[in-house]
Amino acid sequence: MNIDPISDFLTRVRNAVKAGHRVVEIPASKVKKEITKILFDQGFILSYKFEDDNGPQGSIKIALKYDKLTKDPVIKKIQRISKPGLRKYASSTEIPRILNGLGIAIVSTSHGVMTGKQAHSENVGGEVLCYVY
């Protein structure tokens, strides 16, 4: 039994990047699927595929993205902010800018999971899930 599935998702991605893997497979959930879509839209991962044949929830296959010349990973750091033991909430004006706009904050709002910039433009706050840069 996993206590914090989002943290497990981020740790699997972080470990795969550090090991230089091309693809990582993660058990799926609705929030994890939304985070994966955001990472793809923001250009942090190459591609993803949702598979429904593995278990009741299925799985997510993520193709990680690396620089063509230097072979450095695009994801430099992926950090969990709000944890089950200490939830972190922010209003739309308090959502931080990550690396002066080069990184993203992923926020779970009443309008769904979105980036910090989207939450600020829609004027909604929520739980700050993680930072990615």
Side-chain angles (χ1 to χ4, degrees), residues 6-37:
I6 297 170
S7 183
D8 178 59
F9 171 88
L10 299 175
T11 301
R12 285 180 191 232
V13 170
R14 187 181 315 114
N15 289 345
V17 164
K18 293 230 188 237
H21 292 220
R22 294 283 176 207
V23 178
V24 60
E25 188 170 348
I26 301 164
S29 73
K30 289 181 184 178
V31 175
K32 291 180 195 176
K33 287 179 180 179
E34 293 301 316
I35 292 173
T36 304
K37 289 177 188 173

Side-chain angles (χ1 to χ4, degrees), residues 9-119:
F9 171 88
L10 299 175
T11 301
R12 285 180 191 232
V13 170
R14 187 181 315 114
N15 289 345
V17 164
K18 293 230 188 237
H21 292 220
R22 294 283 176 207
V23 178
V24 60
E25 188 170 348
I26 301 164
S29 73
K30 289 181 184 178
V31 175
K32 291 180 195 176
K33 287 179 180 179
E34 293 301 316
I35 292 173
T36 304
K37 289 177 188 173
I38 289 172
L39 290 176
F40 178 73
D41 292 339
Q42 298 296 318
F44 286 103
I45 59 175
L46 198 59
S47 65
Y48 63 91
K49 185 165 66 168
F50 301 138
E51 295 182 346
D52 295 330
D53 57 349
N54 299 353
Q57 285 284 326
S59 65
I60 306 169
K61 283 197 175 180
I62 298 175
L64 301 171
K65 194 174 187 179
Y66 294 92
D67 189 292
K68 287 184 175 38
L69 298 175
T70 62
K71 306 291 186 216
D72 288 338
V74 172
I75 297 175
K76 303 288 186 232
K77 190 167 187 180
I78 187 164
Q79 178 182 13
R80 180 82 157 116
I81 302 302
S82 183
K83 299 179 172 93
L86 181 63
R87 300 286 185 191
K88 301 278 186 171
Y89 296 95
S91 67
S92 64
T93 57
E94 295 172 341
I95 296 172
R97 285 174 45 116
I98 311 303
L99 279 182
N100 237 359
L102 295 176
I104 60 168
I106 298 179
V107 184
S108 176
T109 67
S110 57
H111 296 276
V113 179
M114 59 182 71
T115 65
K117 288 179 187 174
Q118 288 173 322

